[in-house]
Amino acid sequence: AMILTDPKSVKIMLPASDKKVPQLEAMWHEKMGLLVMGHKLPMPSGNRTLQLWLIPKKPGAKPMPSMMLRPDPDGNFMLMVSNPPEDMRNTAALAITEEPAGGSVQPTSTPMWLGSIS
């Protein structure tokens, strides 16, 4: 909850690639971590999962895998990443893709949500 209220947190909107799907919201605090939230989302198909990626600013750098999640039965989730794999200053965007159960080391699908960090 402190990430949501601290004025040093950076708000990141992640619009959906499908306009019928709600956008996600993230808050990133350089000391407390990253919080990603969503409501009324579709469930990943079968045994697939959603996975968060940090897209580096450095040209040619590969997306950094982060945590996986599945929304609850109502399509809601809150994902807390206390130690993101990359620093916010070095990150251009956050992305969420649908991946096989257990996640992937590199994205295997086009991002369903993508939000630039300003």
Side-chain angles (χ1 to χ4, degrees):
M2 291 176 60
I3 292 175
L4 295 173
T5 59
D6 193 301
K8 292 180 183 172
S9 294
V10 175
K11 185 176 189 176
I12 305 158
M13 300 309 293
L14 289 91
S17 58
D18 179 348
K19 299 302 178 206
K20 294 178 240 160
V21 176
Q23 73 177 355
L24 305 181
E25 183 177 318
M27 296 292 284
W28 196 341
H29 189 282
E30 68 177 324
K31 291 187 172 42
M32 291 187 267
L34 174 62
L35 181 67
V36 184
M37 301 159 287
H39 304 285
K40 299 184 180 179
L41 305 178
M43 285 299 263
S45 58
N47 65 349
R48 296 181 60 84
T49 189
L50 300 177
Q51 186 167 0
L52 174 66
W53 301 90
L54 285 75
I55 312 300
K57 285 182 181 176
K58 183 179 176 184
K62 294 183 179 189
M64 299 288 296
S66 189
M67 299 182 74
M68 294 158 283
L69 63 111
R70 282 183 67 86
D72 70 17
D74 295 323
N76 302 317
F77 79 88
M78 187 174 290
L79 176 68
M80 175 65 190
V81 183
S82 56
N83 293 310
E86 185 62 79
D87 186 278
M88 183 169 46
R89 292 179 298 268
N90 298 328
T91 306
L94 300 176
I96 295 183
T97 60
E98 187 175 289
E99 299 296 332
S104 300
V105 293
Q106 289 297 309
T108 63
S109 64
T110 303
M112 296 172 70
W113 292 273
L114 180 65
S116 296
I117 300 172
S118 48

mmCIF file of all heavy atoms in Angstrom, residues 36-89:
data_model
loop_
_atom_site.group_PDB
_atom_site.id
_atom_site.type_symbol
_atom_site.label_atom_id
_atom_site.label_comp_id
_atom_site.label_asym_id
_atom_site.label_seq_id
_atom_site.Cartn_x
_atom_site.Cartn_y
_atom_site.Cartn_z
ATOM 1 N N VAL A 36 1.898 -4.148 -9.925
ATOM 2 C CA VAL A 36 1.085 -4.158 -11.144
ATOM 3 C C VAL A 36 -0.296 -4.659 -10.761
ATOM 4 O O VAL A 36 -0.422 -5.668 -10.059
ATOM 5 C CB VAL A 36 1.703 -5.062 -12.234
ATOM 6 C CG1 VAL A 36 0.902 -4.975 -13.516
ATOM 7 C CG2 VAL A 36 3.165 -4.698 -12.484
ATOM 8 N N MET A 37 -1.342 -3.935 -11.242
ATOM 9 C CA MET A 37 -2.721 -4.273 -10.871
ATOM 10 C C MET A 37 -3.611 -4.325 -12.104
ATOM 11 O O MET A 37 -3.395 -3.576 -13.061
ATOM 12 C CB MET A 37 -3.279 -3.203 -9.929
ATOM 13 C CG MET A 37 -2.478 -3.031 -8.661
ATOM 14 S SD MET A 37 -2.770 -1.429 -7.884
ATOM 15 C CE MET A 37 -1.900 -0.335 -8.978
ATOM 16 N N GLY A 38 -4.611 -5.215 -12.036
ATOM 17 C CA GLY A 38 -5.580 -5.306 -13.117
ATOM 18 C C GLY A 38 -6.916 -5.796 -12.598
ATOM 19 O O GLY A 38 -6.990 -6.461 -11.555
ATOM 20 N N HIS A 39 -7.984 -5.456 -13.326
ATOM 21 C CA HIS A 39 -9.344 -5.841 -12.946
ATOM 22 C C HIS A 39 -10.122 -6.293 -14.172
ATOM 23 O O HIS A 39 -9.976 -5.712 -15.248
ATOM 24 C CB HIS A 39 -10.075 -4.659 -12.297
ATOM 25 C CG HIS A 39 -9.351 -4.096 -11.119
ATOM 26 N ND1 HIS A 39 -9.328 -4.730 -9.898
ATOM 27 C CD2 HIS A 39 -8.587 -2.991 -10.983
ATOM 28 C CE1 HIS A 39 -8.599 -4.019 -9.056
ATOM 29 N NE2 HIS A 39 -8.133 -2.963 -9.693
ATOM 30 N N LYS A 40 -10.944 -7.319 -13.991
ATOM 31 C CA LYS A 40 -11.842 -7.838 -15.027
ATOM 32 C C LYS A 40 -11.089 -8.268 -16.280
ATOM 33 O O LYS A 40 -11.477 -7.974 -17.398
ATOM 34 C CB LYS A 40 -12.925 -6.824 -15.350
ATOM 35 C CG LYS A 40 -13.785 -6.510 -14.141
ATOM 36 C CD LYS A 40 -14.912 -5.591 -14.474
ATOM 37 C CE LYS A 40 -15.700 -5.342 -13.191
ATOM 38 N NZ LYS A 40 -16.805 -4.454 -13.358
ATOM 39 N N LEU A 41 -9.980 -8.982 -16.067
ATOM 40 C CA LEU A 41 -9.159 -9.452 -17.178
ATOM 41 C C LEU A 41 -9.592 -10.851 -17.612
ATOM 42 O O LEU A 41 -10.074 -11.636 -16.800
ATOM 43 C CB LEU A 41 -7.689 -9.510 -16.757
ATOM 44 C CG LEU A 41 -7.107 -8.222 -16.210
ATOM 45 C CD1 LEU A 41 -5.667 -8.449 -15.791
ATOM 46 C CD2 LEU A 41 -7.198 -7.125 -17.235
ATOM 47 N N PRO A 42 -9.369 -11.179 -18.878
ATOM 48 C CA PRO A 42 -9.648 -12.548 -19.323
ATOM 49 C C PRO A 42 -8.606 -13.508 -18.735
ATOM 50 O O PRO A 42 -7.451 -13.135 -18.537
ATOM 51 C CB PRO A 42 -9.526 -12.459 -20.841
ATOM 52 C CG PRO A 42 -8.640 -11.283 -21.087
ATOM 53 C CD PRO A 42 -8.885 -10.329 -19.949
ATOM 54 N N MET A 43 -9.031 -14.731 -18.467
ATOM 55 C CA MET A 43 -8.099 -15.743 -17.965
ATOM 56 C C MET A 43 -7.222 -16.240 -19.106
ATOM 57 O O MET A 43 -7.701 -16.395 -20.231
ATOM 58 C CB MET A 43 -8.873 -16.931 -17.392
ATOM 59 C CG MET A 43 -9.497 -16.642 -16.046
ATOM 60 S SD MET A 43 -8.253 -16.241 -14.820
ATOM 61 C CE MET A 43 -8.080 -17.804 -14.054
ATOM 62 N N PRO A 44 -5.956 -16.501 -18.832
ATOM 63 C CA PRO A 44 -5.111 -17.127 -19.852
ATOM 64 C C PRO A 44 -5.697 -18.493 -20.212
ATOM 65 O O PRO A 44 -6.298 -19.161 -19.381
ATOM 66 C CB PRO A 44 -3.751 -17.284 -19.160
ATOM 67 C CG PRO A 44 -3.779 -16.325 -18.022
ATOM 68 C CD PRO A 44 -5.211 -16.219 -17.606
ATOM 69 N N SER A 45 -5.507 -18.884 -21.450
ATOM 70 C CA SER A 45 -6.070 -20.154 -21.909
ATOM 71 C C SER A 45 -5.349 -21.348 -21.285
ATOM 72 O O SER A 45 -4.146 -21.297 -21.033
ATOM 73 C CB SER A 45 -6.006 -20.227 -23.431
ATOM 74 O OG SER A 45 -4.669 -20.089 -23.863
ATOM 75 N N GLY A 46 -6.104 -22.407 -21.037
ATOM 76 C CA GLY A 46 -5.542 -23.668 -20.530
ATOM 77 C C GLY A 46 -4.624 -23.485 -19.342
ATOM 78 O O GLY A 46 -4.969 -22.842 -18.362
ATOM 79 N N ASN A 47 -3.428 -24.059 -19.453
ATOM 80 C CA ASN A 47 -2.472 -23.976 -18.345
ATOM 81 C C ASN A 47 -1.443 -22.869 -18.588
ATOM 82 O O ASN A 47 -0.349 -22.906 -18.051
ATOM 83 C CB ASN A 47 -1.787 -25.329 -18.127
ATOM 84 C CG ASN A 47 -0.924 -25.729 -19.302
ATOM 85 O OD1 ASN A 47 -0.978 -25.119 -20.368
ATOM 86 N ND2 ASN A 47 -0.139 -26.773 -19.134
ATOM 87 N N ARG A 48 -1.805 -21.886 -19.393
ATOM 88 C CA ARG A 48 -0.893 -20.769 -19.652
ATOM 89 C C ARG A 48 -0.979 -19.745 -18.528
ATOM 90 O O ARG A 48 -1.894 -19.776 -17.717
ATOM 91 C CB ARG A 48 -1.184 -20.172 -21.018
ATOM 92 C CG ARG A 48 -0.898 -21.232 -22.100
ATOM 93 C CD ARG A 48 -1.104 -20.780 -23.491
ATOM 94 N NE ARG A 48 -0.307 -19.672 -23.938
ATOM 95 C CZ ARG A 48 0.941 -19.729 -24.410
ATOM 96 N NH1 ARG A 48 1.561 -20.902 -24.469
ATOM 97 N NH2 ARG A 48 1.557 -18.656 -24.832
ATOM 98 N N THR A 49 -0.003 -18.853 -18.496
ATOM 99 C CA THR A 49 0.080 -17.850 -17.441
ATOM 100 C C THR A 49 0.458 -16.502 -18.051
ATOM 101 O O THR A 49 0.938 -16.445 -19.184
ATOM 102 C CB THR A 49 1.119 -18.281 -16.376
ATOM 103 O OG1 THR A 49 1.046 -17.415 -15.270
ATOM 104 C CG2 THR A 49 2.529 -18.302 -16.925
ATOM 105 N N LEU A 50 0.226 -15.443 -17.323
ATOM 106 C CA LEU A 50 0.688 -14.122 -17.742
ATOM 107 C C LEU A 50 2.054 -13.886 -17.119
ATOM 108 O O LEU A 50 2.306 -14.287 -15.983
ATOM 109 C CB LEU A 50 -0.294 -13.046 -17.287
ATOM 110 C CG LEU A 50 -1.712 -13.167 -17.821
ATOM 111 C CD1 LEU A 50 -2.602 -12.079 -17.241
ATOM 112 C CD2 LEU A 50 -1.739 -13.124 -19.335
ATOM 113 N N GLN A 51 2.950 -13.252 -17.876
ATOM 114 C CA GLN A 51 4.299 -12.996 -17.373
ATOM 115 C C GLN A 51 4.666 -11.538 -17.632
ATOM 116 O O GLN A 51 4.433 -11.004 -18.712
ATOM 117 C CB GLN A 51 5.317 -13.920 -18.034
ATOM 118 C CG GLN A 51 6.705 -13.796 -17.429
ATOM 119 C CD GLN A 51 7.641 -14.912 -17.864
ATOM 120 O OE1 GLN A 51 7.284 -15.805 -18.619
ATOM 121 N NE2 GLN A 51 8.859 -14.856 -17.366
ATOM 122 N N LEU A 52 5.246 -10.918 -16.605
ATOM 123 C CA LEU A 52 5.711 -9.534 -16.675
ATOM 124 C C LEU A 52 7.133 -9.499 -17.230
ATOM 125 O O LEU A 52 7.974 -10.314 -16.833
ATOM 126 C CB LEU A 52 5.673 -8.921 -15.265
ATOM 127 C CG LEU A 52 6.255 -7.527 -15.104
ATOM 128 C CD1 LEU A 52 5.437 -6.496 -15.874
ATOM 129 C CD2 LEU A 52 6.331 -7.159 -13.623
ATOM 130 N N TRP A 53 7.381 -8.520 -18.112
ATOM 131 C CA TRP A 53 8.707 -8.320 -18.714
ATOM 132 C C TRP A 53 9.121 -6.874 -18.537
ATOM 133 O O TRP A 53 8.295 -5.975 -18.645
ATOM 134 C CB TRP A 53 8.674 -8.630 -20.210
ATOM 135 C CG TRP A 53 8.245 -10.023 -20.492
ATOM 136 C CD1 TRP A 53 6.960 -10.450 -20.694
ATOM 137 C CD2 TRP A 53 9.062 -11.180 -20.565
ATOM 138 N NE1 TRP A 53 6.949 -11.808 -20.889
ATOM 139 C CE2 TRP A 53 8.225 -12.279 -20.823
ATOM 140 C CE3 TRP A 53 10.429 -11.397 -20.449
ATOM 141 C CZ2 TRP A 53 8.706 -13.580 -20.957
ATOM 142 C CZ3 TRP A 53 10.909 -12.698 -20.584
ATOM 143 C CH2 TRP A 53 10.051 -13.762 -20.835
ATOM 144 N N LEU A 54 10.394 -6.654 -18.276
ATOM 145 C CA LEU A 54 10.958 -5.317 -18.234
ATOM 146 C C LEU A 54 11.758 -5.135 -19.512
ATOM 147 O O LEU A 54 12.668 -5.933 -19.798
ATOM 148 C CB LEU A 54 11.838 -5.133 -16.999
ATOM 149 C CG LEU A 54 11.046 -4.964 -15.699
ATOM 150 C CD1 LEU A 54 10.460 -6.277 -15.226
ATOM 151 C CD2 LEU A 54 11.885 -4.349 -14.637
ATOM 152 N N ILE A 55 11.379 -4.133 -20.292
ATOM 153 C CA ILE A 55 12.014 -3.891 -21.591
ATOM 154 C C ILE A 55 13.114 -2.848 -21.388
ATOM 155 O O ILE A 55 12.828 -1.693 -21.066
ATOM 156 C CB ILE A 55 10.980 -3.382 -22.625
ATOM 157 C CG1 ILE A 55 9.712 -4.253 -22.633
ATOM 158 C CG2 ILE A 55 11.609 -3.254 -24.000
ATOM 159 C CD1 ILE A 55 9.913 -5.699 -22.962
ATOM 160 N N PRO A 56 14.378 -3.243 -21.571
ATOM 161 C CA PRO A 56 15.494 -2.322 -21.323
ATOM 162 C C PRO A 56 15.559 -1.182 -22.345
ATOM 163 O O PRO A 56 15.121 -1.327 -23.487
ATOM 164 C CB PRO A 56 16.740 -3.205 -21.452
ATOM 165 C CG PRO A 56 16.251 -4.603 -21.407
ATOM 166 C CD PRO A 56 14.842 -4.585 -21.902
ATOM 167 N N LYS A 57 16.130 -0.056 -21.915
ATOM 168 C CA LYS A 57 16.356 1.072 -22.819
ATOM 169 C C LYS A 57 17.506 0.798 -23.781
ATOM 170 O O LYS A 57 17.522 1.299 -24.891
ATOM 171 C CB LYS A 57 16.685 2.336 -22.008
ATOM 172 C CG LYS A 57 15.505 2.948 -21.333
ATOM 173 C CD LYS A 57 15.905 4.217 -20.599
ATOM 174 C CE LYS A 57 14.701 4.814 -19.899
ATOM 175 N NZ LYS A 57 15.077 5.992 -19.088
ATOM 176 N N LYS A 58 18.473 0.033 -23.332
ATOM 177 C CA LYS A 58 19.671 -0.214 -24.136
ATOM 178 C C LYS A 58 19.294 -0.906 -25.447
ATOM 179 O O LYS A 58 18.677 -1.973 -25.433
ATOM 180 C CB LYS A 58 20.645 -1.087 -23.346
ATOM 181 C CG LYS A 58 21.949 -1.344 -24.045
ATOM 182 C CD LYS A 58 22.865 -2.191 -23.175
ATOM 183 C CE LYS A 58 24.136 -2.528 -23.899
ATOM 184 N NZ LYS A 58 24.990 -3.416 -23.100
ATOM 185 N N PRO A 59 19.666 -0.302 -26.582
ATOM 186 C CA PRO A 59 19.343 -0.911 -27.873
ATOM 187 C C PRO A 59 19.901 -2.336 -27.982
ATOM 188 O O PRO A 59 21.041 -2.593 -27.603
ATOM 189 C CB PRO A 59 20.009 0.013 -28.893
ATOM 190 C CG PRO A 59 20.159 1.317 -28.177
ATOM 191 C CD PRO A 59 20.379 0.956 -26.729
ATOM 192 N N GLY A 60 19.083 -3.241 -28.469
ATOM 193 C CA GLY A 60 19.501 -4.625 -28.661
ATOM 194 C C GLY A 60 19.418 -5.500 -27.429
ATOM 195 O O GLY A 60 19.602 -6.710 -27.519
ATOM 196 N N ALA A 61 19.157 -4.908 -26.255
ATOM 197 C CA ALA A 61 19.050 -5.699 -25.023
ATOM 198 C C ALA A 61 17.743 -6.497 -25.040
ATOM 199 O O ALA A 61 16.720 -6.033 -25.547
ATOM 200 C CB ALA A 61 19.105 -4.799 -23.802
ATOM 201 N N LYS A 62 17.784 -7.693 -24.499
ATOM 202 C CA LYS A 62 16.612 -8.563 -24.479
ATOM 203 C C LYS A 62 15.708 -8.237 -23.295
ATOM 204 O O LYS A 62 16.185 -7.799 -22.246
ATOM 205 C CB LYS A 62 17.053 -10.022 -24.398
ATOM 206 C CG LYS A 62 17.796 -10.470 -25.627
ATOM 207 C CD LYS A 62 18.158 -11.925 -25.557
ATOM 208 C CE LYS A 62 18.876 -12.308 -26.841
ATOM 209 N NZ LYS A 62 19.072 -13.722 -26.948
ATOM 210 N N PRO A 63 14.392 -8.470 -23.447
ATOM 211 C CA PRO A 63 13.473 -8.265 -22.326
ATOM 212 C C PRO A 63 13.891 -9.101 -21.116
ATOM 213 O O PRO A 63 14.327 -10.247 -21.259
ATOM 214 C CB PRO A 63 12.125 -8.743 -22.868
ATOM 215 C CG PRO A 63 12.260 -8.625 -24.346
ATOM 216 C CD PRO A 63 13.701 -8.922 -24.647
ATOM 217 N N MET A 64 13.760 -8.499 -19.931
ATOM 218 C CA MET A 64 14.109 -9.180 -18.684
ATOM 219 C C MET A 64 12.856 -9.848 -18.121
ATOM 220 O O MET A 64 11.865 -9.163 -17.856
ATOM 221 C CB MET A 64 14.645 -8.178 -17.664
ATOM 222 C CG MET A 64 15.899 -7.451 -18.086
ATOM 223 S SD MET A 64 17.340 -8.514 -18.069
ATOM 224 C CE MET A 64 17.442 -8.899 -16.348
ATOM 225 N N PRO A 65 12.872 -11.176 -17.937
ATOM 226 C CA PRO A 65 11.693 -11.837 -17.378
ATOM 227 C C PRO A 65 11.513 -11.484 -15.907
ATOM 228 O O PRO A 65 12.477 -11.296 -15.180
ATOM 229 C CB PRO A 65 12.004 -13.325 -17.547
ATOM 230 C CG PRO A 65 13.489 -13.405 -17.615
ATOM 231 C CD PRO A 65 13.961 -12.104 -18.202
ATOM 232 N N SER A 66 10.264 -11.362 -15.515
ATOM 233 C CA SER A 66 9.948 -11.125 -14.114
ATOM 234 C C SER A 66 8.908 -12.157 -13.693
ATOM 235 O O SER A 66 8.913 -13.271 -14.197
ATOM 236 C CB SER A 66 9.468 -9.686 -13.907
ATOM 237 O OG SER A 66 9.358 -9.399 -12.524
ATOM 238 N N MET A 67 8.009 -11.768 -12.832
ATOM 239 C CA MET A 67 7.084 -12.716 -12.212
ATOM 240 C C MET A 67 5.932 -13.105 -13.133
ATOM 241 O O MET A 67 5.634 -12.420 -14.104
ATOM 242 C CB MET A 67 6.553 -12.124 -10.921
ATOM 243 C CG MET A 67 7.683 -11.863 -9.929
ATOM 244 S SD MET A 67 7.095 -11.209 -8.375
ATOM 245 C CE MET A 67 6.369 -12.653 -7.651
ATOM 246 N N MET A 68 5.306 -14.219 -12.773
ATOM 247 C CA MET A 68 4.144 -14.733 -13.487
ATOM 248 C C MET A 68 2.912 -14.568 -12.620
ATOM 249 O O MET A 68 3.015 -14.461 -11.402
ATOM 250 C CB MET A 68 4.347 -16.201 -13.829
ATOM 251 C CG MET A 68 5.465 -16.409 -14.826
ATOM 252 S SD MET A 68 6.096 -18.065 -14.752
ATOM 253 C CE MET A 68 7.078 -17.968 -13.299
ATOM 254 N N LEU A 69 1.751 -14.562 -13.247
ATOM 255 C CA LEU A 69 0.508 -14.413 -12.505
ATOM 256 C C LEU A 69 -0.651 -14.994 -13.289
ATOM 257 O O LEU A 69 -0.579 -15.188 -14.499
ATOM 258 C CB LEU A 69 0.240 -12.935 -12.224
ATOM 259 C CG LEU A 69 0.035 -12.081 -13.478
ATOM 260 C CD1 LEU A 69 -1.392 -11.615 -13.575
ATOM 261 C CD2 LEU A 69 0.986 -10.911 -13.447
ATOM 262 N N ARG A 70 -1.714 -15.284 -12.559
ATOM 263 C CA ARG A 70 -3.012 -15.628 -13.134
ATOM 264 C C ARG A 70 -4.039 -14.825 -12.357
ATOM 265 O O ARG A 70 -3.990 -14.779 -11.134
ATOM 266 C CB ARG A 70 -3.307 -17.116 -13.012
ATOM 267 C CG ARG A 70 -2.561 -17.959 -14.041
ATOM 268 C CD ARG A 70 -2.924 -19.426 -13.961
ATOM 269 N NE ARG A 70 -4.291 -19.739 -14.332
ATOM 270 C CZ ARG A 70 -4.709 -19.963 -15.576
ATOM 271 N NH1 ARG A 70 -3.874 -19.870 -16.577
ATOM 272 N NH2 ARG A 70 -5.961 -20.268 -15.815
ATOM 273 N N PRO A 71 -4.954 -14.163 -13.063
ATOM 274 C CA PRO A 71 -5.997 -13.424 -12.351
ATOM 275 C C PRO A 71 -6.860 -14.369 -11.519
ATOM 276 O O PRO A 71 -6.929 -15.569 -11.794
ATOM 277 C CB PRO A 71 -6.827 -12.794 -13.472
ATOM 278 C CG PRO A 71 -5.980 -12.882 -14.695
ATOM 279 C CD PRO A 71 -5.071 -14.048 -14.501
ATOM 280 N N ASP A 72 -7.539 -13.813 -10.511
ATOM 281 C CA ASP A 72 -8.484 -14.617 -9.734
ATOM 282 C C ASP A 72 -9.726 -14.887 -10.599
ATOM 283 O O ASP A 72 -9.804 -14.399 -11.734
ATOM 284 C CB ASP A 72 -8.803 -13.930 -8.400
ATOM 285 C CG ASP A 72 -9.635 -12.665 -8.518
ATOM 286 O OD1 ASP A 72 -10.277 -12.418 -9.566
ATOM 287 O OD2 ASP A 72 -9.649 -11.891 -7.553
ATOM 288 N N PRO A 73 -10.701 -15.668 -10.120
ATOM 289 C CA PRO A 73 -11.871 -15.997 -10.935
ATOM 290 C C PRO A 73 -12.661 -14.783 -11.439
ATOM 291 O O PRO A 73 -13.357 -14.868 -12.448
ATOM 292 C CB PRO A 73 -12.738 -16.851 -10.004
ATOM 293 C CG PRO A 73 -11.753 -17.466 -9.062
ATOM 294 C CD PRO A 73 -10.701 -16.418 -8.854
ATOM 295 N N ASP A 74 -12.528 -13.633 -10.766
ATOM 296 C CA ASP A 74 -13.202 -12.411 -11.215
ATOM 297 C C ASP A 74 -12.342 -11.592 -12.180
ATOM 298 O O ASP A 74 -12.739 -10.504 -12.602
ATOM 299 C CB ASP A 74 -13.579 -11.542 -10.013
ATOM 300 C CG ASP A 74 -14.609 -12.219 -9.125
ATOM 301 O OD1 ASP A 74 -15.514 -12.902 -9.664
ATOM 302 O OD2 ASP A 74 -14.501 -12.078 -7.895
ATOM 303 N N GLY A 75 -11.141 -12.084 -12.501
ATOM 304 C CA GLY A 75 -10.262 -11.384 -13.423
ATOM 305 C C GLY A 75 -9.415 -10.305 -12.782
ATOM 306 O O GLY A 75 -8.872 -9.440 -13.474
ATOM 307 N N ASN A 76 -9.256 -10.361 -11.463
ATOM 308 C CA ASN A 76 -8.480 -9.348 -10.753
ATOM 309 C C ASN A 76 -7.128 -9.906 -10.308
ATOM 310 O O ASN A 76 -7.012 -11.100 -10.028
ATOM 311 C CB ASN A 76 -9.245 -8.864 -9.516
ATOM 312 C CG ASN A 76 -10.596 -8.294 -9.886
ATOM 313 O OD1 ASN A 76 -10.730 -7.561 -10.852
ATOM 314 N ND2 ASN A 76 -11.600 -8.656 -9.125
ATOM 315 N N PHE A 77 -6.135 -9.033 -10.243
ATOM 316 C CA PHE A 77 -4.847 -9.440 -9.682
ATOM 317 C C PHE A 77 -4.094 -8.221 -9.179
ATOM 318 O O PHE A 77 -4.344 -7.098 -9.590
ATOM 319 C CB PHE A 77 -3.994 -10.202 -10.701
ATOM 320 C CG PHE A 77 -3.302 -9.315 -11.697
ATOM 321 C CD1 PHE A 77 -2.051 -8.785 -11.429
ATOM 322 C CD2 PHE A 77 -3.904 -9.003 -12.900
ATOM 323 C CE1 PHE A 77 -1.417 -7.963 -12.332
ATOM 324 C CE2 PHE A 77 -3.277 -8.180 -13.812
ATOM 325 C CZ PHE A 77 -2.030 -7.663 -13.528
ATOM 326 N N MET A 78 -3.155 -8.478 -8.277
ATOM 327 C CA MET A 78 -2.203 -7.483 -7.794
ATOM 328 C C MET A 78 -0.879 -8.231 -7.662
ATOM 329 O O MET A 78 -0.783 -9.201 -6.925
ATOM 330 C CB MET A 78 -2.637 -6.893 -6.454
ATOM 331 C CG MET A 78 -1.764 -5.735 -6.024
ATOM 332 S SD MET A 78 -2.338 -4.909 -4.527
ATOM 333 C CE MET A 78 -3.814 -4.099 -5.127
ATOM 334 N N LEU A 79 0.110 -7.800 -8.409
ATOM 335 C CA LEU A 79 1.412 -8.454 -8.443
ATOM 336 C C LEU A 79 2.451 -7.511 -7.855
ATOM 337 O O LEU A 79 2.625 -6.390 -8.331
ATOM 338 C CB LEU A 79 1.777 -8.788 -9.896
ATOM 339 C CG LEU A 79 3.154 -9.396 -10.134
ATOM 340 C CD1 LEU A 79 3.238 -10.792 -9.537
ATOM 341 C CD2 LEU A 79 3.452 -9.434 -11.628
ATOM 342 N N MET A 80 3.139 -7.981 -6.809
ATOM 343 C CA MET A 80 4.191 -7.188 -6.166
ATOM 344 C C MET A 80 5.548 -7.785 -6.520
ATOM 345 O O MET A 80 5.780 -8.970 -6.308
ATOM 346 C CB MET A 80 3.990 -7.206 -4.640
ATOM 347 C CG MET A 80 5.083 -6.532 -3.864
ATOM 348 S SD MET A 80 5.141 -4.778 -4.200
ATOM 349 C CE MET A 80 6.660 -4.336 -3.420
ATOM 350 N N VAL A 81 6.420 -6.958 -7.081
ATOM 351 C CA VAL A 81 7.788 -7.360 -7.413
ATOM 352 C C VAL A 81 8.692 -6.533 -6.509
ATOM 353 O O VAL A 81 8.940 -5.353 -6.780
ATOM 354 C CB VAL A 81 8.107 -7.112 -8.900
ATOM 355 C CG1 VAL A 81 9.507 -7.612 -9.231
ATOM 356 C CG2 VAL A 81 7.065 -7.760 -9.801
ATOM 357 N N SER A 82 9.161 -7.132 -5.416
ATOM 358 C CA SER A 82 9.957 -6.373 -4.450
ATOM 359 C C SER A 82 11.373 -6.092 -4.951
ATOM 360 O O SER A 82 11.974 -5.093 -4.575
ATOM 361 C CB SER A 82 9.997 -7.082 -3.103
ATOM 362 O OG SER A 82 10.491 -8.384 -3.248
ATOM 363 N N ASN A 83 11.907 -6.953 -5.797
ATOM 364 C CA ASN A 83 13.249 -6.755 -6.351
ATOM 365 C C ASN A 83 13.203 -6.930 -7.863
ATOM 366 O O ASN A 83 13.579 -7.979 -8.380
ATOM 367 C CB ASN A 83 14.241 -7.759 -5.747
ATOM 368 C CG ASN A 83 14.465 -7.523 -4.284
ATOM 369 O OD1 ASN A 83 14.743 -6.407 -3.868
ATOM 370 N ND2 ASN A 83 14.317 -8.559 -3.489
ATOM 371 N N PRO A 84 12.749 -5.893 -8.609
ATOM 372 C CA PRO A 84 12.694 -6.038 -10.069
ATOM 373 C C PRO A 84 14.058 -6.394 -10.632
ATOM 374 O O PRO A 84 15.090 -5.978 -10.090
ATOM 375 C CB PRO A 84 12.245 -4.653 -10.539
ATOM 376 C CG PRO A 84 11.573 -4.034 -9.362
ATOM 377 C CD PRO A 84 12.282 -4.592 -8.156
ATOM 378 N N PRO A 85 14.093 -7.183 -11.726
ATOM 379 C CA PRO A 85 15.372 -7.624 -12.287
ATOM 380 C C PRO A 85 16.148 -6.516 -12.987
ATOM 381 O O PRO A 85 17.273 -6.726 -13.391
ATOM 382 C CB PRO A 85 14.965 -8.704 -13.288
ATOM 383 C CG PRO A 85 13.568 -8.363 -13.657
ATOM 384 C CD PRO A 85 12.967 -7.748 -12.433
ATOM 385 N N GLU A 86 15.571 -5.342 -13.113
ATOM 386 C CA GLU A 86 16.242 -4.231 -13.780
ATOM 387 C C GLU A 86 15.875 -2.939 -13.048
ATOM 388 O O GLU A 86 14.823 -2.841 -12.428
ATOM 389 C CB GLU A 86 15.791 -4.165 -15.250
ATOM 390 C CG GLU A 86 16.487 -3.133 -16.101
ATOM 391 C CD GLU A 86 17.981 -3.357 -16.237
ATOM 392 O OE1 GLU A 86 18.389 -4.204 -17.037
ATOM 393 O OE2 GLU A 86 18.742 -2.665 -15.531
ATOM 394 N N ASP A 87 16.739 -1.952 -13.109
ATOM 395 C CA ASP A 87 16.515 -0.651 -12.492
ATOM 396 C C ASP A 87 15.537 0.160 -13.351
ATOM 397 O O ASP A 87 15.593 0.098 -14.581
ATOM 398 C CB ASP A 87 17.865 0.074 -12.393
ATOM 399 C CG ASP A 87 17.771 1.362 -11.635
ATOM 400 O OD1 ASP A 87 17.361 2.371 -12.242
ATOM 401 O OD2 ASP A 87 18.094 1.361 -10.432
ATOM 402 N N MET A 88 14.680 0.936 -12.708
ATOM 403 C CA MET A 88 13.688 1.727 -13.446
ATOM 404 C C MET A 88 14.362 2.688 -14.430
ATOM 405 O O MET A 88 13.866 2.886 -15.532
ATOM 406 C CB MET A 88 12.796 2.499 -12.472
ATOM 407 C CG MET A 88 11.704 3.274 -13.170
ATOM 408 S SD MET A 88 10.410 3.959 -12.111
ATOM 409 C CE MET A 88 11.298 4.703 -10.781
ATOM 410 N N ARG A 89 15.487 3.282 -14.073
ATOM 411 C CA ARG A 89 16.179 4.225 -14.969
ATOM 412 C C ARG A 89 16.677 3.550 -16.246
ATOM 413 O O ARG A 89 16.913 4.218 -17.239
ATOM 414 C CB ARG A 89 17.339 4.894 -14.240
ATOM 415 C CG ARG A 89 16.898 5.840 -13.126
ATOM 416 C CD ARG A 89 18.102 6.458 -12.428
ATOM 417 N NE ARG A 89 18.939 5.450 -11.781
ATOM 418 C CZ ARG A 89 18.816 5.056 -10.515
ATOM 419 N NH1 ARG A 89 17.904 5.597 -9.752
ATOM 420 N NH2 ARG A 89 19.601 4.133 -10.013
#
